[in-house]
Amino acid sequence: MVIEFGNELKVRRLRDEADRVWRVAAGHRALAEEIEASAEPESFQRAKTQRLRGEVAAHHGFAYHELANAAEIRAAARVHPRESPQWRLLIDRSFAAIRRAEAHHERAAAYTARTVGDETAARRHESAAREADGRASSIARDVRSA
């Protein structure tokens, strides 16, 4: 997709951040495997903590990726006349990407809350993630039916 109006830097920065965070997630998962293989005392709990950190990082990576998608789509929308059908379609797609990013951030927050033992906050974040997913899906349905 061709990116205009300087968005290529924003998109590149967001994609680089997603890649960096995914590398961090992979590092946590690899460390979890190493810890499990060591059979040291408390290795199960330490490995579990590293896995959870990996999941949190992975969700943040997906969120950055979705935000990059949204920025890229918005740049594409700028070449169309405002309020034209093509412009509306692209703007709706960008909103759906933003909602998916929100859902991933909420899932990461739920993992974090659960890790520190705050089950109430974890359920609240999971509910917010489902709501964001629902908004993204309804936007996507509206876009397909248009």
Side-chain angles (χ1 to χ4, degrees):
M1 181 174 288
V2 175
I3 304 169
E4 297 179 2
F5 303 102
N7 269 13
E8 62 273 346
L9 295 176
K10 181 188 293 184
V11 171
R12 179 76 274 146
R13 183 182 54 81
L14 288 166
R15 294 223 190 275
D16 287 348
E17 189 65 13
D19 290 342
R20 185 191 66 77
V21 173
W22 282 329
R23 283 191 304 275
V24 168
H28 283 296
R29 290 177 181 137
L31 184 56
E33 289 177 15
E34 277 181 41
I35 291 169
E36 278 185 339
S38 72
E40 293 177 14
E42 299 181 22
S43 62
F44 175 78
Q45 189 60 37
R46 288 178 46 225
K48 181 179 174 184
T49 299
Q50 290 303 318
R51 258 196 214 83
L52 286 171
R53 288 178 178 168
E55 287 300 313
V56 168
H59 279 295
H60 283 302
F62 283 116
Y64 282 118
H65 181 70
E66 289 294 353
L67 291 173
N69 288 344
E72 199 170 57
I73 292 166
R74 290 217 172 200
R78 287 188 181 117
V79 302
H80 299 286
R82 193 170 178 86
E83 301 300 329
S84 69
Q86 298 88 352
W87 181 87
R88 284 180 189 268
L89 175 74
L90 291 168
I91 293 300
D92 286 346
R93 284 183 181 167
S94 75
F95 279 128
I98 291 167
R99 296 289 76 83
R100 288 190 299 271
E102 178 184 2
H104 282 295
H105 276 303
E106 290 293 345
R107 282 189 197 91
Y111 274 107
T112 301
R114 190 160 281 119
T115 300
V116 298
D118 192 347
E119 192 60 35
T120 303
R123 283 193 301 274
R124 187 176 63 247
H125 287 296
E126 287 169 347
S127 176
R130 282 191 301 276
E131 287 175 23
D133 277 335
R135 287 191 306 269
S137 294
S138 69
I139 292 168
R141 272 193 305 275
D142 292 345
V143 166
R144 282 192 301 263
S145 67

mmCIF file with all atom_site columns, all heavy atoms in Angstrom, residues 89-108:
data_model
loop_
_atom_site.group_PDB
_atom_site.id
_atom_site.type_symbol
_atom_site.label_atom_id
_atom_site.label_alt_id
_atom_site.label_comp_id
_atom_site.label_asym_id
_atom_site.label_entity_id
_atom_site.label_seq_id
_atom_site.pdbx_PDB_ins_code
_atom_site.Cartn_x
_atom_site.Cartn_y
_atom_site.Cartn_z
_atom_site.occupancy
_atom_site.B_iso_or_equiv
_atom_site.pdbx_formal_charge
_atom_site.auth_seq_id
_atom_site.auth_comp_id
_atom_site.auth_asym_id
_atom_site.auth_atom_id
_atom_site.pdbx_PDB_model_num
ATOM 1   N N   . LEU A 1 89  ? -15.282 3.629   3.555  1.00 0.00 ? 89  LEU A N   1
ATOM 2   C CA  . LEU A 1 89  ? -14.881 2.237   3.701  1.00 0.00 ? 89  LEU A CA  1
ATOM 3   C C   . LEU A 1 89  ? -13.516 2.141   4.399  1.00 0.00 ? 89  LEU A C   1
ATOM 4   O O   . LEU A 1 89  ? -13.343 1.385   5.354  1.00 0.00 ? 89  LEU A O   1
ATOM 5   C CB  . LEU A 1 89  ? -14.817 1.558   2.330  1.00 0.00 ? 89  LEU A CB  1
ATOM 6   C CG  . LEU A 1 89  ? -14.300 0.128   2.310  1.00 0.00 ? 89  LEU A CG  1
ATOM 7   C CD1 . LEU A 1 89  ? -15.353 -0.810  2.870  1.00 0.00 ? 89  LEU A CD1 1
ATOM 8   C CD2 . LEU A 1 89  ? -13.934 -0.268  0.895  1.00 0.00 ? 89  LEU A CD2 1
ATOM 9   N N   . LEU A 1 90  ? -12.567 2.936   3.936  1.00 0.00 ? 90  LEU A N   1
ATOM 10  C CA  . LEU A 1 90  ? -11.234 2.892   4.528  1.00 0.00 ? 90  LEU A CA  1
ATOM 11  C C   . LEU A 1 90  ? -11.213 3.425   5.960  1.00 0.00 ? 90  LEU A C   1
ATOM 12  O O   . LEU A 1 90  ? -10.533 2.861   6.832  1.00 0.00 ? 90  LEU A O   1
ATOM 13  C CB  . LEU A 1 90  ? -10.245 3.651   3.644  1.00 0.00 ? 90  LEU A CB  1
ATOM 14  C CG  . LEU A 1 90  ? -9.964  2.965   2.296  1.00 0.00 ? 90  LEU A CG  1
ATOM 15  C CD1 . LEU A 1 90  ? -9.209  3.904   1.370  1.00 0.00 ? 90  LEU A CD1 1
ATOM 16  C CD2 . LEU A 1 90  ? -9.230  1.662   2.499  1.00 0.00 ? 90  LEU A CD2 1
ATOM 17  N N   . ILE A 1 91  ? -11.935 4.484   6.217  1.00 0.00 ? 91  ILE A N   1
ATOM 18  C CA  . ILE A 1 91  ? -11.994 5.025   7.580  1.00 0.00 ? 91  ILE A CA  1
ATOM 19  C C   . ILE A 1 91  ? -12.627 4.005   8.521  1.00 0.00 ? 91  ILE A C   1
ATOM 20  O O   . ILE A 1 91  ? -12.149 3.793   9.645  1.00 0.00 ? 91  ILE A O   1
ATOM 21  C CB  . ILE A 1 91  ? -12.744 6.378   7.603  1.00 0.00 ? 91  ILE A CB  1
ATOM 22  C CG1 . ILE A 1 91  ? -11.944 7.439   6.854  1.00 0.00 ? 91  ILE A CG1 1
ATOM 23  C CG2 . ILE A 1 91  ? -13.052 6.812   9.029  1.00 0.00 ? 91  ILE A CG2 1
ATOM 24  C CD1 . ILE A 1 91  ? -10.555 7.713   7.414  1.00 0.00 ? 91  ILE A CD1 1
ATOM 25  N N   . ASP A 1 92  ? -13.697 3.339   8.077  1.00 0.00 ? 92  ASP A N   1
ATOM 26  C CA  . ASP A 1 92  ? -14.312 2.302   8.910  1.00 0.00 ? 92  ASP A CA  1
ATOM 27  C C   . ASP A 1 92  ? -13.334 1.162   9.179  1.00 0.00 ? 92  ASP A C   1
ATOM 28  O O   . ASP A 1 92  ? -13.263 0.644   10.290 1.00 0.00 ? 92  ASP A O   1
ATOM 29  C CB  . ASP A 1 92  ? -15.585 1.767   8.249  1.00 0.00 ? 92  ASP A CB  1
ATOM 30  C CG  . ASP A 1 92  ? -16.739 2.754   8.333  1.00 0.00 ? 92  ASP A CG  1
ATOM 31  O OD1 . ASP A 1 92  ? -16.648 3.727   9.115  1.00 0.00 ? 92  ASP A OD1 1
ATOM 32  O OD2 . ASP A 1 92  ? -17.736 2.556   7.604  1.00 0.00 ? 92  ASP A OD2 1
ATOM 33  N N   . ARG A 1 93  ? -12.566 0.789   8.166  1.00 0.00 ? 93  ARG A N   1
ATOM 34  C CA  . ARG A 1 93  ? -11.558 -0.264  8.369  1.00 0.00 ? 93  ARG A CA  1
ATOM 35  C C   . ARG A 1 93  ? -10.498 0.179   9.372  1.00 0.00 ? 93  ARG A C   1
ATOM 36  O O   . ARG A 1 93  ? -10.025 -0.618  10.184 1.00 0.00 ? 93  ARG A O   1
ATOM 37  C CB  . ARG A 1 93  ? -10.898 -0.635  7.047  1.00 0.00 ? 93  ARG A CB  1
ATOM 38  C CG  . ARG A 1 93  ? -11.775 -1.483  6.168  1.00 0.00 ? 93  ARG A CG  1
ATOM 39  C CD  . ARG A 1 93  ? -11.060 -1.883  4.905  1.00 0.00 ? 93  ARG A CD  1
ATOM 40  N NE  . ARG A 1 93  ? -11.938 -2.688  4.078  1.00 0.00 ? 93  ARG A NE  1
ATOM 41  C CZ  . ARG A 1 93  ? -11.693 -2.979  2.822  1.00 0.00 ? 93  ARG A CZ  1
ATOM 42  N NH1 . ARG A 1 93  ? -10.593 -2.541  2.227  1.00 0.00 ? 93  ARG A NH1 1
ATOM 43  N NH2 . ARG A 1 93  ? -12.542 -3.716  2.143  1.00 0.00 ? 93  ARG A NH2 1
ATOM 44  N N   . SER A 1 94  ? -10.143 1.454   9.324  1.00 0.00 ? 94  SER A N   1
ATOM 45  C CA  . SER A 1 94  ? -9.135  1.928   10.284 1.00 0.00 ? 94  SER A CA  1
ATOM 46  C C   . SER A 1 94  ? -9.702  1.915   11.703 1.00 0.00 ? 94  SER A C   1
ATOM 47  O O   . SER A 1 94  ? -8.992  1.562   12.648 1.00 0.00 ? 94  SER A O   1
ATOM 48  C CB  . SER A 1 94  ? -8.637  3.330   9.908  1.00 0.00 ? 94  SER A CB  1
ATOM 49  O OG  . SER A 1 94  ? -9.580  4.320   10.220 1.00 0.00 ? 94  SER A OG  1
ATOM 50  N N   . PHE A 1 95  ? -10.977 2.270   11.857 1.00 0.00 ? 95  PHE A N   1
ATOM 51  C CA  . PHE A 1 95  ? -11.598 2.215   13.178 1.00 0.00 ? 95  PHE A CA  1
ATOM 52  C C   . PHE A 1 95  ? -11.648 0.776   13.691 1.00 0.00 ? 95  PHE A C   1
ATOM 53  O O   . PHE A 1 95  ? -11.423 0.523   14.881 1.00 0.00 ? 95  PHE A O   1
ATOM 54  C CB  . PHE A 1 95  ? -13.007 2.815   13.168 1.00 0.00 ? 95  PHE A CB  1
ATOM 55  C CG  . PHE A 1 95  ? -13.022 4.307   13.244 1.00 0.00 ? 95  PHE A CG  1
ATOM 56  C CD1 . PHE A 1 95  ? -13.731 5.043   12.316 1.00 0.00 ? 95  PHE A CD1 1
ATOM 57  C CD2 . PHE A 1 95  ? -12.346 4.986   14.243 1.00 0.00 ? 95  PHE A CD2 1
ATOM 58  C CE1 . PHE A 1 95  ? -13.757 6.425   12.374 1.00 0.00 ? 95  PHE A CE1 1
ATOM 59  C CE2 . PHE A 1 95  ? -12.367 6.372   14.312 1.00 0.00 ? 95  PHE A CE2 1
ATOM 60  C CZ  . PHE A 1 95  ? -13.078 7.087   13.370 1.00 0.00 ? 95  PHE A CZ  1
ATOM 61  N N   . ALA A 1 96  ? -11.926 -0.172  12.807 1.00 0.00 ? 96  ALA A N   1
ATOM 62  C CA  . ALA A 1 96  ? -11.947 -1.582  13.213 1.00 0.00 ? 96  ALA A CA  1
ATOM 63  C C   . ALA A 1 96  ? -10.558 -2.011  13.695 1.00 0.00 ? 96  ALA A C   1
ATOM 64  O O   . ALA A 1 96  ? -10.433 -2.714  14.707 1.00 0.00 ? 96  ALA A O   1
ATOM 65  C CB  . ALA A 1 96  ? -12.421 -2.466  12.058 1.00 0.00 ? 96  ALA A CB  1
ATOM 66  N N   . ALA A 1 97  ? -9.515  -1.583  13.005 1.00 0.00 ? 97  ALA A N   1
ATOM 67  C CA  . ALA A 1 97  ? -8.143  -1.917  13.424 1.00 0.00 ? 97  ALA A CA  1
ATOM 68  C C   . ALA A 1 97  ? -7.833  -1.303  14.785 1.00 0.00 ? 97  ALA A C   1
ATOM 69  O O   . ALA A 1 97  ? -7.192  -1.945  15.638 1.00 0.00 ? 97  ALA A O   1
ATOM 70  C CB  . ALA A 1 97  ? -7.140  -1.444  12.375 1.00 0.00 ? 97  ALA A CB  1
ATOM 71  N N   . ILE A 1 98  ? -8.290  -0.088  15.011 1.00 0.00 ? 98  ILE A N   1
ATOM 72  C CA  . ILE A 1 98  ? -8.067  0.563   16.305 1.00 0.00 ? 98  ILE A CA  1
ATOM 73  C C   . ILE A 1 98  ? -8.788  -0.200  17.416 1.00 0.00 ? 98  ILE A C   1
ATOM 74  O O   . ILE A 1 98  ? -8.246  -0.395  18.506 1.00 0.00 ? 98  ILE A O   1
ATOM 75  C CB  . ILE A 1 98  ? -8.499  2.044   16.251 1.00 0.00 ? 98  ILE A CB  1
ATOM 76  C CG1 . ILE A 1 98  ? -7.544  2.826   15.340 1.00 0.00 ? 98  ILE A CG1 1
ATOM 77  C CG2 . ILE A 1 98  ? -8.558  2.653   17.652 1.00 0.00 ? 98  ILE A CG2 1
ATOM 78  C CD1 . ILE A 1 98  ? -8.029  4.208   14.962 1.00 0.00 ? 98  ILE A CD1 1
ATOM 79  N N   . ARG A 1 99  ? -10.002 -0.648  17.159 1.00 0.00 ? 99  ARG A N   1
ATOM 80  C CA  . ARG A 1 99  ? -10.745 -1.424  18.160 1.00 0.00 ? 99  ARG A CA  1
ATOM 81  C C   . ARG A 1 99  ? -10.043 -2.753  18.446 1.00 0.00 ? 99  ARG A C   1
ATOM 82  O O   . ARG A 1 99  ? -10.003 -3.208  19.587 1.00 0.00 ? 99  ARG A O   1
ATOM 83  C CB  . ARG A 1 99  ? -12.178 -1.685  17.697 1.00 0.00 ? 99  ARG A CB  1
ATOM 84  C CG  . ARG A 1 99  ? -13.028 -0.438  17.525 1.00 0.00 ? 99  ARG A CG  1
ATOM 85  C CD  . ARG A 1 99  ? -13.421 0.257   18.837 1.00 0.00 ? 99  ARG A CD  1
ATOM 86  N NE  . ARG A 1 99  ? -12.410 1.011   19.485 1.00 0.00 ? 99  ARG A NE  1
ATOM 87  C CZ  . ARG A 1 99  ? -12.046 2.281   19.221 1.00 0.00 ? 99  ARG A CZ  1
ATOM 88  N NH1 . ARG A 1 99  ? -12.633 2.963   18.274 1.00 0.00 ? 99  ARG A NH1 1
ATOM 89  N NH2 . ARG A 1 99  ? -11.114 2.878   19.915 1.00 0.00 ? 99  ARG A NH2 1
ATOM 90  N N   . ARG A 1 100 ? -9.477  -3.394  17.407 1.00 0.00 ? 100 ARG A N   1
ATOM 91  C CA  . ARG A 1 100 ? -8.738  -4.643  17.631 1.00 0.00 ? 100 ARG A CA  1
ATOM 92  C C   . ARG A 1 100 ? -7.492  -4.375  18.482 1.00 0.00 ? 100 ARG A C   1
ATOM 93  O O   . ARG A 1 100 ? -7.153  -5.172  19.361 1.00 0.00 ? 100 ARG A O   1
ATOM 94  C CB  . ARG A 1 100 ? -8.363  -5.303  16.305 1.00 0.00 ? 100 ARG A CB  1
ATOM 95  C CG  . ARG A 1 100 ? -9.562  -5.911  15.577 1.00 0.00 ? 100 ARG A CG  1
ATOM 96  C CD  . ARG A 1 100 ? -9.145  -6.767  14.390 1.00 0.00 ? 100 ARG A CD  1
ATOM 97  N NE  . ARG A 1 100 ? -8.413  -6.026  13.385 1.00 0.00 ? 100 ARG A NE  1
ATOM 98  C CZ  . ARG A 1 100 ? -8.949  -5.375  12.360 1.00 0.00 ? 100 ARG A CZ  1
ATOM 99  N NH1 . ARG A 1 100 ? -10.257 -5.382  12.194 1.00 0.00 ? 100 ARG A NH1 1
ATOM 100 N NH2 . ARG A 1 100 ? -8.200  -4.724  11.488 1.00 0.00 ? 100 ARG A NH2 1
ATOM 101 N N   . ALA A 1 101 ? -6.828  -3.241  18.248 1.00 0.00 ? 101 ALA A N   1
ATOM 102 C CA  . ALA A 1 101 ? -5.674  -2.872  19.064 1.00 0.00 ? 101 ALA A CA  1
ATOM 103 C C   . ALA A 1 101 ? -6.101  -2.679  20.517 1.00 0.00 ? 101 ALA A C   1
ATOM 104 O O   . ALA A 1 101 ? -5.422  -3.143  21.448 1.00 0.00 ? 101 ALA A O   1
ATOM 105 C CB  . ALA A 1 101 ? -5.033  -1.586  18.530 1.00 0.00 ? 101 ALA A CB  1
ATOM 106 N N   . GLU A 1 102 ? -7.223  -2.022  20.690 1.00 0.00 ? 102 GLU A N   1
ATOM 107 C CA  . GLU A 1 102 ? -7.751  -1.817  22.049 1.00 0.00 ? 102 GLU A CA  1
ATOM 108 C C   . GLU A 1 102 ? -8.011  -3.160  22.732 1.00 0.00 ? 102 GLU A C   1
ATOM 109 O O   . GLU A 1 102 ? -7.675  -3.344  23.909 1.00 0.00 ? 102 GLU A O   1
ATOM 110 C CB  . GLU A 1 102 ? -9.046  -1.008  21.959 1.00 0.00 ? 102 GLU A CB  1
ATOM 111 C CG  . GLU A 1 102 ? -9.728  -0.763  23.268 1.00 0.00 ? 102 GLU A CG  1
ATOM 112 C CD  . GLU A 1 102 ? -11.067 -0.046  23.101 1.00 0.00 ? 102 GLU A CD  1
ATOM 113 O OE1 . GLU A 1 102 ? -11.497 0.239   21.968 1.00 0.00 ? 102 GLU A OE1 1
ATOM 114 O OE2 . GLU A 1 102 ? -11.688 0.211   24.143 1.00 0.00 ? 102 GLU A OE2 1
ATOM 115 N N   . ALA A 1 103 ? -8.575  -4.105  21.997 1.00 0.00 ? 103 ALA A N   1
ATOM 116 C CA  . ALA A 1 103 ? -8.855  -5.430  22.565 1.00 0.00 ? 103 ALA A CA  1
ATOM 117 C C   . ALA A 1 103 ? -7.563  -6.118  23.001 1.00 0.00 ? 103 ALA A C   1
ATOM 118 O O   . ALA A 1 103 ? -7.506  -6.731  24.083 1.00 0.00 ? 103 ALA A O   1
ATOM 119 C CB  . ALA A 1 103 ? -9.613  -6.289  21.555 1.00 0.00 ? 103 ALA A CB  1
ATOM 120 N N   . HIS A 1 104 ? -6.524  -6.025  22.196 1.00 0.00 ? 104 HIS A N   1
ATOM 121 C CA  . HIS A 1 104 ? -5.255  -6.651  22.564 1.00 0.00 ? 104 HIS A CA  1
ATOM 122 C C   . HIS A 1 104 ? -4.655  -5.996  23.812 1.00 0.00 ? 104 HIS A C   1
ATOM 123 O O   . HIS A 1 104 ? -4.137  -6.694  24.690 1.00 0.00 ? 104 HIS A O   1
ATOM 124 C CB  . HIS A 1 104 ? -4.258  -6.581  21.406 1.00 0.00 ? 104 HIS A CB  1
ATOM 125 C CG  . HIS A 1 104 ? -4.523  -7.606  20.352 1.00 0.00 ? 104 HIS A CG  1
ATOM 126 N ND1 . HIS A 1 104 ? -4.418  -8.960  20.584 1.00 0.00 ? 104 HIS A ND1 1
ATOM 127 C CD2 . HIS A 1 104 ? -4.906  -7.470  19.066 1.00 0.00 ? 104 HIS A CD2 1
ATOM 128 C CE1 . HIS A 1 104 ? -4.709  -9.617  19.478 1.00 0.00 ? 104 HIS A CE1 1
ATOM 129 N NE2 . HIS A 1 104 ? -5.017  -8.739  18.540 1.00 0.00 ? 104 HIS A NE2 1
ATOM 130 N N   . HIS A 1 105 ? -4.726  -4.685  23.904 1.00 0.00 ? 105 HIS A N   1
ATOM 131 C CA  . HIS A 1 105 ? -4.218  -4.013  25.105 1.00 0.00 ? 105 HIS A CA  1
ATOM 132 C C   . HIS A 1 105 ? -5.015  -4.422  26.342 1.00 0.00 ? 105 HIS A C   1
ATOM 133 O O   . HIS A 1 105 ? -4.444  -4.633  27.417 1.00 0.00 ? 105 HIS A O   1
ATOM 134 C CB  . HIS A 1 105 ? -4.241  -2.491  24.930 1.00 0.00 ? 105 HIS A CB  1
ATOM 135 C CG  . HIS A 1 105 ? -3.052  -1.960  24.219 1.00 0.00 ? 105 HIS A CG  1
ATOM 136 N ND1 . HIS A 1 105 ? -1.752  -2.159  24.637 1.00 0.00 ? 105 HIS A ND1 1
ATOM 137 C CD2 . HIS A 1 105 ? -2.942  -1.226  23.086 1.00 0.00 ? 105 HIS A CD2 1
ATOM 138 C CE1 . HIS A 1 105 ? -0.909  -1.583  23.816 1.00 0.00 ? 105 HIS A CE1 1
ATOM 139 N NE2 . HIS A 1 105 ? -1.604  -1.007  22.848 1.00 0.00 ? 105 HIS A NE2 1
ATOM 140 N N   . GLU A 1 106 ? -6.314  -4.580  26.188 1.00 0.00 ? 106 GLU A N   1
ATOM 141 C CA  . GLU A 1 106 ? -7.139  -5.010  27.325 1.00 0.00 ? 106 GLU A CA  1
ATOM 142 C C   . GLU A 1 106 ? -6.796  -6.439  27.738 1.00 0.00 ? 106 GLU A C   1
ATOM 143 O O   . GLU A 1 106 ? -6.764  -6.759  28.930 1.00 0.00 ? 106 GLU A O   1
ATOM 144 C CB  . GLU A 1 106 ? -8.627  -4.892  26.993 1.00 0.00 ? 106 GLU A CB  1
ATOM 145 C CG  . GLU A 1 106 ? -9.123  -3.470  26.885 1.00 0.00 ? 106 GLU A CG  1
ATOM 146 C CD  . GLU A 1 106 ? -9.108  -2.716  28.218 1.00 0.00 ? 106 GLU A CD  1
ATOM 147 O OE1 . GLU A 1 106 ? -8.977  -3.323  29.298 1.00 0.00 ? 106 GLU A OE1 1
ATOM 148 O OE2 . GLU A 1 106 ? -9.252  -1.476  28.178 1.00 0.00 ? 106 GLU A OE2 1
ATOM 149 N N   . ARG A 1 107 ? -6.539  -7.317  26.769 1.00 0.00 ? 107 ARG A N   1
ATOM 150 C CA  . ARG A 1 107 ? -6.143  -8.685  27.106 1.00 0.00 ? 107 ARG A CA  1
ATOM 151 C C   . ARG A 1 107 ? -4.810  -8.690  27.856 1.00 0.00 ? 107 ARG A C   1
ATOM 152 O O   . ARG A 1 107 ? -4.627  -9.457  28.808 1.00 0.00 ? 107 ARG A O   1
ATOM 153 C CB  . ARG A 1 107 ? -6.045  -9.541  25.845 1.00 0.00 ? 107 ARG A CB  1
ATOM 154 C CG  . ARG A 1 107 ? -7.382  -9.976  25.336 1.00 0.00 ? 107 ARG A CG  1
ATOM 155 C CD  . ARG A 1 107 ? -7.254  -10.996 24.208 1.00 0.00 ? 107 ARG A CD  1
ATOM 156 N NE  . ARG A 1 107 ? -8.523  -11.059 23.528 1.00 0.00 ? 107 ARG A NE  1
ATOM 157 C CZ  . ARG A 1 107 ? -8.850  -10.316 22.474 1.00 0.00 ? 107 ARG A CZ  1
ATOM 158 N NH1 . ARG A 1 107 ? -7.975  -9.489  21.941 1.00 0.00 ? 107 ARG A NH1 1
ATOM 159 N NH2 . ARG A 1 107 ? -10.043 -10.406 21.929 1.00 0.00 ? 107 ARG A NH2 1
ATOM 160 N N   . ALA A 1 108 ? -3.879  -7.863  27.408 1.00 0.00 ? 108 ALA A N   1
ATOM 161 C CA  . ALA A 1 108 ? -2.592  -7.761  28.109 1.00 0.00 ? 108 ALA A CA  1
ATOM 162 C C   . ALA A 1 108 ? -2.812  -7.289  29.539 1.00 0.00 ? 108 ALA A C   1
ATOM 163 O O   . ALA A 1 108 ? -2.191  -7.820  30.481 1.00 0.00 ? 108 ALA A O   1
ATOM 164 C CB  . ALA A 1 108 ? -1.660  -6.807  27.363 1.00 0.00 ? 108 ALA A CB  1
#
